[in-house]
Structures are given as structure tokens and as C-alpha cells.
Amino acid sequence: MPQLSLHSPLGPLTLSEEDGAIVALDWGWGRDQTETDVLVAAREWLDKWFDAPSDHIPFRLAPFGTPYQKRVWDELLKIPAGEVRTYAQVAAAAGGSSRSVGQAVGRNPIPILIPCHRVVAAQGIGGYSGDGGTDDKVWLLELEGAPITGILRDQS
């Protein structure tokens, strides 16, 4: 599976491609580096995204997951940059419970691109799968201009 890494404000990230689509984004530097058209486009998009977050992704995403997980991830793609939704709000749209949404969000194989950082708990920030945990989540939400002051206050 071709992979390509990039430096980011959150540390090194590695993109993986299969059949012309991005299938994973992992923290850390990948061992093998292959510059395919899709991986180069995704790396360039992320470089620009860290300067000016955007919702438009000009390449295909194909995460591996169950039908339910994919339904949840599709709902995450509908959350605009700078906004957040609670696990319960995503559950109302995708079906299931807050807990099942949290499990699907935690298994998102393409974080940042599928913006799981935009999902928060009813009272507090919730979790995050990135290497920096919730610090990364807060950083991403602040980058996007999301109104998180009340969320962080609720967590205290």
C-alpha cells in the first residue's frame, strides 16, 4: 500500500492510498515513501489546510469500516470547519447511540480529513485518537475557529 508522509504542526503524519483513494492517516513517519498522484494531492491539501482549513476535499476517501461506521463518518464529513456536534447529535443523524458513535469516531482511520475532532461530548471535549490526545483535538478546533471556550469550561 503506497504511503507518503508530511511534516505538520501536530508532528509527522502518514497518508496511505489504495485503489486511488486515501484509506488512512496515521501519526508518525512511514517507512516507505511513494509519491502517487493521490498521495501528493492529499499531502499538498493538508499543507494548505493547516494554514486555512477548508471542507472541500478534492480526492476520494475510502476508509475501511463497517456500514455503521461509514454512516457515522459520512455524518462527520457534513460538519463544517469551525463547528462542532455532540456525539448525541451525530447519533440522531446516523442512528445508534452516543456510545456507538463514540466507538465509530474512535475507529476513524482518516482523522483530520474525516473530521472526528469536530465531535464533542455533551459536557466536555471528549476524546481524540491523535498522538497528542485531546490537546491535538483542542488545537485543531482552535485552528478552525470553533467556539470551544464553553466546552473546555464544562470539562473543568
Side-chain angles (χ1 to χ4, degrees):
M1 181 178 309
Q3 295 183 322
L4 189 60
S5 300
L6 66 140
H7 296 283
S8 84
L10 298 174
L13 302 173
T14 297
L15 295 155
S16 299
E17 173 197 344
E18 187 169 294
D19 298 327
I22 299 299
V23 295
L25 184 149
D26 297 295
W27 269 253
W29 199 265
R31 185 186 65 166
D32 299 321
Q33 301 292 305
T34 306
E35 289 194 353
T36 68
D37 290 343
V38 171
L39 288 171
V40 169
R43 179 183 64 188
E44 289 172 358
W45 184 89
L46 274 167
D47 282 338
K48 291 177 186 172
W49 187 89
F50 281 113
D51 290 329
S54 164
D55 292 322
H56 173 70
I57 298 175
F59 42 85
R60 206 164 52 88
L61 303 176
F64 297 109
T66 66
Y68 177 72
Q69 289 169 337
K70 290 179 181 183
R71 208 164 56 243
V72 169
W73 301 333
D74 285 343
E75 288 301 320
L76 303 186
L77 288 166
K78 296 175 185 176
I79 306 170
E83 295 185 18
V84 296
R85 301 288 184 275
T86 64
Y87 294 100
Q89 288 172 315
V90 175
S97 66
S98 297
R99 183 178 300 269
S100 66
V101 165
Q103 291 170 344
V105 167
R107 290 188 177 96
N108 174 12
I110 317 175
I112 303 172
L113 298 173
I114 297 176
C116 51
H117 60 278
R118 296 179 189 157
V119 182
V120 298
Q123 294 184 346
I125 198 74
Y128 193 64
S129 63
D131 270 359
T134 56
D135 288 343
D136 283 355
K137 183 174 188 171
V138 169
W139 189 90
L140 289 164
L141 290 171
E142 288 176 339
L143 174 70
E144 294 181 335
I148 62 168
T149 304
I151 297 167
L152 294 175
R153 186 174 42 247
D154 289 344
Q155 189 169 324
S156 303

